[in-house]
Amino acid sequence: MSPHRPPRAGCITLGAALSIACVLLGGLIATTADAQRRGVAPIRVVRPDPAESERLTPVVIDNVRYLSTNDLARIFGATKYWRPEIQKLSLRMGTHTIRFTVGAPVILVDEEARNLVAPVILVHGVVHAPEAILELLFSWGLVPDATYDGDTRVIRYRVEPHSIRQAQLYTRDRVTEVVASLGRSLPTRVLYATPTELRVLFEGGTLDSARVFSGGVVADGWMRETAGGVECRLGLTEDARGYTINVTNNRLKISLTYDRGLVDAGIFTRLEPLALGSIPGRVRTIVIDPGHGGSDTGSPLPGGQVEKDVALEIARALRSALQSRTQARIVLTRDGDVDVSSDRRAAIANGAKADLYLSIHLDNEGVVRGGGFRVLSYQSITENSEAPIVVGDGNVALPMPAWRGAQSPFAGTSLALAEGVARALRQVFPATPTVTEAGRLETLQSVACPALLLESAPTARTGPEASSPRGYTIYDYTQTVARAVDEFVRGYRGI
Ligand SMILES: [Zn+2]
């Protein structure tokens, strides 16, 4: 405990009461406060960057040290709301609100009353609170990035505070909100917003701890760190209709509503199914890309096979499956054992004005090794990002010069389609691990339509009935992918 600790709450001296009266009466106290500012040891605020470190000098009124709420707002990155007509001030710190009333020796923290050692006062028109409020703020955990030592009177910020903190879900009247405190501004990207799911990426952000959410129109959701930053993914209930995202200097808020009126009024953005094709619900051309070919054999597979041959077999089976379900023209980037460059594959798709591009590969690594599926889509990330970059089959991660390819505008739709295909695979093959991944895929970056790279496990023999280590056949696999694509095209809501 500090030897300089001021008197306990409730022990207001007559002098203090008179001083407060003077302050309230017309600012006469200002001269006294200025006089008493000298000789008071400042509080040191130590930041990781020494250039940003500073000192706070309290004013002393009748032996009580007071700190300006302007100073508190500045050092804690809080937002201040002052309502002079009722002499009340609110400080918004992350997801917490502290309310001060001039003349009251009490503050409200998130509606809960806490005693102060002396009343809140006005000095030069600025609300001041007793310095002892610092120990209260820290002991209540309102300043997670810093510590306070009352004996040495030093506030010490930790190195590199997380940029997103204290994320919480609130259900209000017609609105469900995910609110978090922001340490710095972050590029915000809505990956997609469909009636079933809202997915938002805060690029380059870091998170204090992973969260899960449910309540209101959020059936299940989470916020966690991913390769590109911090991602928030909210699975929505059937009655969700609209969303808004609001990011200020120190706070982010994702709001959802079931109220059609708020959507019709333009206050919320409508959640709409993502459509493939130039005419919604109608896909004219699908390009299937059997990976590798010719001198590029791809991965060696068990049983002496090579990836290029089985990929072609899967591509042909997928062509049949899609032809039986859709009216689309199906184009293969190769229909034989020939060399085709990545650029040439993209050129074939773009030249055919493809509405959808599906690249077929097999793998012998990771989740796929044990017989699983990996559904990959392209995700561009900011140039200074340290996120791993996936090249080719996803087996190699190495940095590539960043540039925004033709695929960038379709990344959201591609990601949503990837989730749809993965969901269908999980339904049909519940015992088979299925993962989705997004990254800078070289093979997709120049394709100018929604695009996926589908990886499955090698089969032990050839033919549509050939089965993987998990027992699924090429026929079952391609039928499932075709069904998922068809449902996506028709705006299926999913589960
Ligand atoms: Zn491959």
Side-chain angles (χ1 to χ4, degrees):
M1 180 176 286
S2 164
H4 309 293
R5 202 179 186 94
R8 282 197 320 243
C11 306
I12 306 165
T13 62
L14 180 61
L18 286 173
S19 301
I20 293 153
C22 289
V23 175
L24 292 173
L25 284 171
L28 289 174
I29 198 74
T31 325
T32 318
D34 287 344
Q36 294 193 355
R37 199 183 285 272
R38 286 190 295 273
V40 179
I43 294 164
R44 286 171 57 219
V45 181
V46 181
R47 308 260 184 190
D49 178 356
E52 292 177 8
S53 298
E54 60 179 323
R55 287 160 189 273
L56 293 183
T57 306
V59 295
V60 178
I61 295 164
D62 283 301
N63 297 323
V64 178
R65 296 195 200 106
Y66 281 90
L67 291 174
S68 149
T69 51
N70 283 351
D71 288 343
L72 293 175
R74 189 181 69 255
I75 62 168
F76 296 130
T79 312
K80 230 177 57 168
Y81 303 95
W82 167 232
R83 298 180 62 192
E85 73 282 8
I86 51 170
Q87 300 278 291
K88 285 181 190 293
L89 179 128
S90 299
L91 278 188
R92 180 93 193 167
M93 292 175 62
T95 56
H96 301 282
T97 305
I98 304 153
R99 294 189 170 83
F100 303 81
T101 303
V102 174
V106 168
I107 57 173
L108 294 176
V109 179
D110 298 333
E111 310 302 336
E112 199 176 319
R114 308 282 181 157
N115 290 328
L116 295 177
V117 296
V120 172
I121 61 170
L122 269 183
V123 179
H124 284 308
V126 175
V127 177
H128 280 59
E131 182 189 303
I133 194 175
L134 282 182
E135 298 204 8
L136 296 176
L137 295 180
F138 281 91
S139 66
W140 297 331
L142 300 192
V143 193
D145 301 333
T147 55
Y148 176 59
D149 182 336
D151 293 332
T152 55
R153 298 171 74 236
V154 174
I155 294 170
R156 194 176 298 277
Y157 275 83
R158 293 191 190 93
V159 177
E160 270 304 300
H162 290 293
S163 49
I164 300 181
R165 302 183 299 267
Q166 297 171 293
Q168 284 182 56
L169 181 134
Y170 297 97
T171 55
R172 307 196 191 282
D173 182 19
R174 288 173 292 174
V175 176
T176 307
E177 289 177 353
V178 171
V179 177
S181 165
L182 267 184
R184 61 184 172 88
S185 67
L186 293 171
T188 303
R189 185 186 297 186
V190 178
L191 298 175
Y192 57 81
T194 69
T196 50
E197 196 168 84
L198 175 65
R199 212 163 156 181
V200 186
L201 177 68
F202 301 95
E203 287 184 53
T206 60
L207 186 66
D208 57 354
S209 65
R211 309 285 165 132
V212 292
F213 305 116
S214 68
V217 297
V218 175
D220 60 275
W222 46 253
M223 185 181 278
R224 61 182 179 225
E225 288 187 12
T226 61
V230 173
E231 195 176 320
C232 182
R233 190 165 165 190
L234 305 173
L236 306 177
T237 62
E238 278 207 349
D239 49 350
R241 291 291 173 271
Y243 73 99
T244 60
I245 295 172
N246 193 298
V247 179
T248 63
N249 283 341
N250 51 24
R251 208 154 80 101
L252 71 86
K253 187 166 77 176
I254 300 170
S255 309
L256 291 143
T257 187
Y258 57 79
D259 189 323
R260 285 175 201 273
L262 294 175
V263 177
D264 292 341
I267 299 164
F268 281 72
T269 306
R270 193 179 306 277
L271 292 160
E272 286 184 294
L274 288 166
L276 284 177
S278 42
I279 303 163
R282 192 169 154 235
V283 166
R284 283 183 291 197
T285 304
I286 299 174
V287 171
I288 302 174
D289 170 48
H292 314 279
S295 58
D296 172 11
T297 58
S299 306
L301 305 179
Q305 299 185 64
V306 285
E307 182 182 0
K308 64 172 184 175
D309 295 332
V310 184
L312 181 58
E313 198 166 334
I314 293 172
R316 286 170 172 160
L318 184 58
R319 174 170 59 189
S320 306
L322 285 165
Q323 273 167 342
S324 68
R325 285 184 176 268
T326 72
Q327 302 296 310
R329 175 171 69 116
I330 316 287
V331 176
L332 265 59
T333 54
R334 67 176 177 94
D335 202 357
D337 186 16
V338 290
D339 278 292
V340 191
S341 69
S342 276
D343 284 348
R344 176 72 192 133
R345 292 168 201 261
I348 291 169
N350 298 345
K353 293 195 170 16
D355 295 313
L356 174 63
Y357 182 87
L358 300 169
S359 188
I360 306 300
H361 290 255
L362 293 101
D363 197 6
N364 232 342
E365 303 229 328
V367 68
V368 182
R369 190 209 321 260
F373 301 108
R374 189 153 48 204
V375 186
L376 298 130
S377 65
Y378 180 88
Q379 184 177 308
S380 60
I381 36 186
T382 44
E383 309 206 348
N384 56 3
S385 170
E386 296 286 314
I389 289 163
V390 182
V391 178
D393 289 342
N395 299 335
V396 194
L398 50 89
M400 251 175 56
W403 62 285
R404 292 192 185 279
Q407 179 58 201
S408 291
F410 304 98
T413 308
S414 301
L415 185 61
L417 175 63
E419 294 297 343
V421 169
R423 197 157 43 217
L425 290 169
R426 288 188 195 111
Q427 267 178 359
V428 176
F429 310 107
T432 303
T434 300
V435 298
T436 56
E437 282 176 25
R440 180 158 293 151
L441 290 148
E442 189 194 19
T443 50
L444 301 182
Q445 69 183 353
S446 304
V447 177
C449 67
L452 299 184
L453 195 152
L454 299 163
E455 283 184 331
S456 56
T459 57
R461 57 189 177 86
T462 56
E465 296 303 320
S467 61
S468 78
R470 290 267 172 179
Y472 60 81
T473 62
I474 287 178
Y475 178 83
D476 295 336
Y477 168 46
T478 53
Q479 287 291 326
T480 306
V481 171
R483 175 171 68 80
V485 167
D486 187 34
E487 284 172 349
F488 194 90
V489 168
R490 290 187 284 112
Y492 176 67
R493 278 185 56 99
I495 346 171

